[in-house]
Amino acid sequence: MKFVIVTGLSGAGKSMAVNALEDIGFFCIDNIPVALLPRIVDFALQGENQLNRVAVVMDVRGVRSSEQLEQALSDLDAKQFEYEILFLDANDAVIQRRYKEPRRQHPITIAEKLPITEAIARERRLLQPLRARAQYVIDTSLLNTAQNKERVCSLFLDHGESPMALTVVSFGFKYGLPQEADLVLDVRCLPNPFYVPELKNLTGLDQSVVDYVMAAPESQELLRRYEHMLEYALPLYVKEGKSQLMIAVGCTGGKHRSITFARKIGEFCQKLGYTPSVQHRDAKRTL
């Protein structure tokens, strides 16, 4: 049985993650008290009730202390029960905005009458044992709903023979690095289509932009060297037991060179036997 604990900060996207998991066949249970976690595991394993794919949401609403969390996870470990933890995170400013826009209150603000800044800080401390043990951490600060869903699905869909969940994401350095990135490839050194009037408003999803970027000998050589590095490094990550890897490819604005290279690298990784999810974080941003 595949058992996933979905957790993370309030406002970071746990509901979205649960919806995505339900869409790919998980039986999901929301807002469980931490003390019930071992009992839910026992129930899921019982005879006729045995389920193949289960996800439970465990967050600050059902947790009294970090010690209580540690005890519940230790109980699962004592049963030698295999589980994975998906932790959804976002920076404080984004979480505050997500609560402000719909005029909702943070759960700790409701329960303990704390300002939201203090509530977020307390929640981070409380959930630290889960974050420390998490196999998967997704920072949703700069991702929209569709991108969040794709990220979750890419982690838990059946990847066939692929030995590691691999994500290739293009981005613009001016908007910040993807915080989950394991490898960052910089293509700002290449000729920039932004300064070509007929290409400025296109993206690396358009063939004319791809042709322009890849026409430069330095682009072809840089791609070859990145491919050579990945061909050597990816099996080492697999050997080390890494279950997910994000390759972030960045240019200035995330619309031309980075998208072109992310697509090329995704195609190359597929030839190596992986099943990469290729995403373009900043493709739809206005110039």
Side-chain angles (χ1 to χ4, degrees):
M1 180 180 69
K2 192 171 188 66
F3 192 92
V4 177
I5 299 172
V6 180
T7 186
L9 297 187
S10 303
K14 296 187 297 297
S15 296
M16 170 280 306
V18 168
N19 291 338
L21 291 171
E22 285 184 338
D23 288 345
I24 60 175
F26 275 79
F27 179 80
C28 299
I29 308 172
D30 191 11
N31 192 20
I32 68 163
V34 64
L36 290 183
L37 183 60
R39 299 182 187 180
I40 289 175
V41 169
D42 291 338
F43 173 80
L45 291 173
Q46 286 176 2
E48 295 180 357
N49 295 324
Q50 185 164 356
L51 303 169
N52 292 325
R53 294 157 70 84
V54 176
V56 299
V57 178
M58 190 168 66
D59 57 28
V60 71
R61 294 170 294 175
V63 176
R64 294 180 180 176
S65 67
S66 56
E67 291 77 16
Q68 185 187 35
L69 267 179
E70 291 280 15
Q71 184 59 53
L73 297 176
S74 296
D75 290 344
L76 293 189
D77 295 339
K79 294 174 181 286
Q80 297 185 328
F81 178 75
E82 294 186 2
Y83 60 93
E84 294 178 311
I85 298 175
L86 168 63
F87 193 99
L88 283 299
D89 202 350
N91 65 56
D92 289 7
V94 169
I95 291 176
Q96 289 181 48
R97 187 182 72 243
R98 289 175 180 173
Y99 274 102
K100 183 177 181 180
E101 289 174 351
R103 298 185 179 181
R104 295 179 59 228
Q105 290 191 5
H106 190 283
I108 293 180
T109 297
I110 296 173
E112 302 183 25
K113 310 301 181 185
L114 293 176
I116 188 167
T117 53
E118 294 181 25
I120 294 171
R122 172 163 164 68
E123 184 176 31
R124 287 193 186 279
R125 292 193 298 270
L126 196 61
L127 298 181
Q128 180 55 33
L130 286 170
R131 198 185 199 287
R133 290 181 178 234
Q135 286 79 12
Y136 310 104
V137 177
I138 298 177
D139 187 294
T140 68
S141 301
L142 295 174
L143 302 179
N144 61 36
T145 300
Q147 291 170 326
N148 286 337
K149 181 175 180 179
E150 184 177 358
R151 186 72 53 81
V152 172
C153 290
S154 71
L155 294 176
F156 296 105
L157 276 172
D158 184 3
H159 292 283
E161 296 301 317
S162 180
M164 179 173 58
L166 184 63
T167 301
V168 182
V169 59
S170 67
F171 72 97
F173 277 95
K174 67 190 292 185
Y175 303 115
L177 286 169
Q179 293 190 24
E180 317 97 294
D182 298 289
L183 295 174
V184 177
L185 308 182
D186 188 349
V187 295
R188 288 176 293 181
C189 55
L190 302 178
N192 192 350
F194 178 84
Y195 298 107
V196 179
E198 60 268 29
L199 301 178
K200 178 178 179 179
N201 294 317
L202 302 178
T203 73
L205 298 172
D206 296 294
Q207 190 59 42
S208 56
V209 171
V210 176
D211 292 342
Y212 177 87
V213 172
M214 299 311 300
E218 54 265 41
S219 297
Q220 298 177 31
E221 179 64 16
L222 185 62
L223 178 62
R224 186 187 69 80
R225 295 192 181 208
Y226 279 155
E227 288 177 344
H228 184 70
M229 181 272 290
L230 291 171
E231 186 174 14
Y232 178 76
L234 292 181
L236 299 181
Y237 284 109
V238 174
K239 182 179 179 181
E240 187 64 21
K242 193 155 181 69
S243 57
Q244 64 166 334
L245 185 82
M246 176 185 285
I247 303 169
V249 185
C251 64
T252 304
K255 296 178 72 68
H256 299 105
R257 296 165 291 179
S258 61
I259 292 178
T260 298
F261 261 59
R263 293 174 65 196
K264 295 285 186 183
I265 288 169
E267 292 169 2
F268 178 74
C269 291
Q270 195 164 20
K271 292 178 182 177
L272 294 179
Y274 301 89
T275 309
S277 169
V278 180
Q279 304 170 14
H280 306 298
R281 192 191 72 182
D282 300 321
K284 295 183 179 180
R285 288 184 185 269
T286 56
L287 295 174

